[in-house]
Amino acid sequence: MKKTFLFAAALSALCASGAAKWKNLDDKAHIFGEKIDESDLLGKAVLVYYWDTSDEASVKYLPEVEKVWSSFKTKKFRVVGTYIGARDDAKVKSLLEKNKVTFPVYYKFSLDPDPKVGFAKTPYFNVVNHRGVSVYGGGGVKDGTEHIVDSI
C-alpha cells in the first residue's frame, strides 16, 4: 500500500510538472483508426482501454467503449485503445471493424510511467484527467465513465 501511494504521488508530481509523456504513440505502434500524437491528448481527459482479443470480456466491452467515445467526443476528451495481446494487426483490425469501433488503437499505449498499479488482467480502464494525472484505474465501464464525466 505504501509503495502504491508513493508511486501515485511521484506520478502526480511528474504529471503536474508537465513532464509526463505518452508511450507507444507512434506509427510503429499504431494499429487502427485515426493516428494521433501527444498534442491531441494534452488538456483533455483520456480514457485508455486495455484489451486483448483472447479475452472475451474485453472484446465484449468494445461496443460499450465506443458508446462512451461517441457520447463525449465533442468535449475535451479522447479514447485510445491499447491492445496488449500478441501482435496480430489483421485479427485486431477485423475485430474492431466488426464491432464498429472508431477510436484509435495502439499497441501497448500508456502514460509513461504507466499508472496501472495492481493491473492484473483485461479489461482494464485508465482515466487520465486534463492535467495528465491518472484518476481511475479499474475494470468497470460505469466507474470509468463517472471519472470521465468528472474529468471533463
Side-chain angles (χ1 to χ4, degrees), residues 10-22 38 42-43 111-113 129-133:
L11 177 64
S12 187
L14 183 66
C15 290
S17 72
K21 302 288 183 206
W22 294 98
E38 195 161 336
L42 293 175
L111 192 63
D112 189 17
N129 72 13
H130 65 284
R131 291 187 179 98
V133 176

Side-chain angles (χ1 to χ4, degrees), residues 125-146:
F125 301 86
N126 184 218
V127 177
V128 178
N129 72 13
H130 65 284
R131 291 187 179 98
V133 176
S134 178
V135 295
Y136 174 77
V141 174
K142 183 179 179 208
D143 291 338
T145 302
E146 289 172 7

Side-chain angles (χ1 to χ4, degrees), residues 47-51 79-83 103-109:
L47 171 65
V48 181
Y49 182 54
Y50 295 80
W51 69 286
V79 170
V80 183
T82 180
Y83 182 72
F103 55 84
V105 175
Y106 284 79
Y107 185 64
K108 296 190 177 177
F109 165 83

Side-chain angles (χ1 to χ4, degrees), residues 71-85:
S71 296
F72 295 108
K73 67 181 170 184
T74 60
K75 311 281 186 201
K76 290 187 171 233
F77 172 69
R78 293 300 307 231
V79 170
V80 183
T82 180
Y83 182 72
I84 61 171

Side-chain angles (χ1 to χ4, degrees), residues 96-110:
L96 292 167
E97 288 168 355
K98 178 181 172 188
N99 284 280
K100 298 181 170 103
V101 168
T102 63
F103 55 84
V105 175
Y106 284 79
Y107 185 64
K108 296 190 177 177
F109 165 83
S110 69

